Amino acid sequence: MWWMKIVSSAFIIACVTELARRFPLYGGIIAALPLISLMSIFWLTFQGETSREIQTFTLGVLVGLPATIVMLLAVYMMLKNSFPFVLAIIVGILSWGVFLGIQKLVLAQFNIL
């Protein structure tokens, strides 16, 4: 089962990156699809996880989504302004972490998570 997960995930990533190489905009749109989330939900269900565990996983995906958007915006803006790729990725990851930390503090204030 473990190998099936690796092979199917690698196949999807290879297809998306190949499409993105030829058609960057469409590759980005497809990459933004919740492929990994849906594959994870599929595998969790297939492995017999409870509906409650899958529901909690889905909530985690929703909580992580705003920080991911901030990260992608940071990377996009850095690359648009001709910053080096590695620096853009580092800033993106840092902005993701900072946003996630702030989000956690805000949600804790309202006892949401």
Side-chain angles (χ1 to χ4, degrees), residues 100-112:
L100 207 55
I102 292 168
Q103 178 181 324
K104 183 177 179 181
L105 291 173
V106 169
L107 293 176
Q109 291 295 317
F110 296 102
N111 290 326
I112 294 176

Side-chain angles (χ1 to χ4, degrees), residues 79-101:
L79 293 175
K80 183 179 178 182
N81 290 299
S82 301
F83 284 91
F85 173 76
V86 172
L87 181 60
I89 296 298
I90 291 169
V91 168
I93 291 170
L94 289 174
S95 65
W96 176 82
V98 168
F99 187 90
L100 207 55

Side-chain angles (χ1 to χ4, degrees), residues 11-28:
F11 178 75
I12 289 173
I13 291 169
C15 288
V16 171
T17 54
E18 211 33 53
L19 179 68
R21 191 172 63 80
R22 293 186 181 128
F23 308 100
L25 180 64
Y26 296 120

Side-chain angles (χ1 to χ4, degrees), residues 22-63:
R22 293 186 181 128
F23 308 100
L25 180 64
Y26 296 120
I29 290 169
I30 290 173
L33 294 173
L35 293 172
I36 301 302
S37 299
L38 291 175
M39 283 179 53
S40 298
I41 290 169
F42 169 79
W43 285 113
L44 288 169
T45 302
F46 188 75
Q47 293 173 169
E49 299 298 325
T50 66
S51 179
R52 180 77 173 139
E53 290 165 327
I54 295 170
Q55 177 187 359
T56 303
F57 168 80
T58 305
L59 177 62
V61 172
L62 290 171
V63 168

